[in-house]
């Protein structure tokens, strides 16, 4: 799974609980492949066009659907502007992403590490 070498630098201090500094942070959107998975409600929210562009189905059973990665960066993260990390599908993002609220344990861990850590139960092996 992701290690320090593939993340960003740690972020000091507490985040804005309203998410005001999330676009400047983006640490929780840096993670290993097969981290953000989708259940049926997520697929319905995403819709077919976003599913085709930003997700993939496992070839082998149990055929989980995941957001695709670009290396250890979420494939739905817009990295076109240096130092900014907006989500391309923010309004439609899966529940896995919504769990990581600013100030949550996973958020604080991601800020401390520079990438999403191991505190989330939904994380799966790269070989899944
Ligand atoms: S780690 Fe926390 S502050 Fe940074 S983008 Fe994620 S939720 Fe926002
Ligand atoms: S889908 Fe959006 S919010 Fe979720 S990890 Fe990817 S870029 Fe971040």
């Amino acid at each position: 799974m992701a290690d320090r070498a593939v993340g960003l630098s740690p972020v000091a201090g507490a985040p804005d609980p309203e998410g005001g500094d999330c676009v400047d942070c983006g640490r929780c959107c840096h993670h290993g492949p097969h981290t953000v998975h989708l259940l049926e409600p997520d697929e319905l929210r995403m819709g077919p066009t976003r599913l085709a562009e930003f997700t993939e189905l496992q070839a082998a059973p149990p055929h989980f659907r995941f957001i695709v990665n670009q290396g250890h960066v979420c494939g739905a993260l817009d990295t076109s502007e240096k130092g900014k990390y907006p989500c391309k599908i923010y309004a439609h993002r899966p529940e896995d992403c919504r769990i990581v609220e600013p100030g949550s344990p996973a958020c604080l861990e991601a800020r401390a590490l520079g990438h999403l850590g191991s505190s989330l139960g939904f994380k799966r092996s790269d070989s899944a």
Side-chain angles (χ1 to χ4, degrees):
M1 196 47 72
D3 59 30
R4 199 180 185 91
V6 297
L8 302 176
S9 58
V11 183
D16 176 355
E18 301 302 321
D21 50 11
C22 283
V23 170
D24 292 328
C25 171
R27 267 55 178 179
C28 63
C29 302
H30 288 71
H31 47 63
H34 304 142
T35 295
V36 180
H37 82 293
L38 294 89
L39 298 177
E40 190 173 353
D42 299 311
E43 295 181 357
L44 291 172
R45 188 190 304 114
M46 289 273 283
T49 302
R50 292 181 196 85
L51 286 177
E53 182 171 358
F54 296 110
T55 74
E56 60 184 354
L57 267 182
Q58 281 184 314
H63 304 295
F64 285 127
R65 184 183 292 278
F66 293 96
I67 296 281
V68 293
N69 262 46
Q70 302 293 332
H72 284 73
V73 181
C74 178
L77 190 65
D78 180 355
T79 57
S80 59
E81 184 179 354
K82 187 174 173 57
K84 299 289 183 185
Y85 307 99
C87 173
K88 292 178 180 175
I89 55 168
Y90 186 76
H92 302 89
R93 70 198 186 286
E95 188 63 26
D96 277 359
C97 304
R98 296 167 193 261
I99 293 169
V100 189
E101 295 178 341
S104 66
C107 161
L108 298 179
E109 184 182 48
R111 287 169 67 89
L113 294 172
H115 58 78
L116 197 62
S118 59
S119 66
L120 294 178
F122 62 78
K123 292 189 69 172
R124 301 187 196 288
S125 163
D126 282 9
S127 61

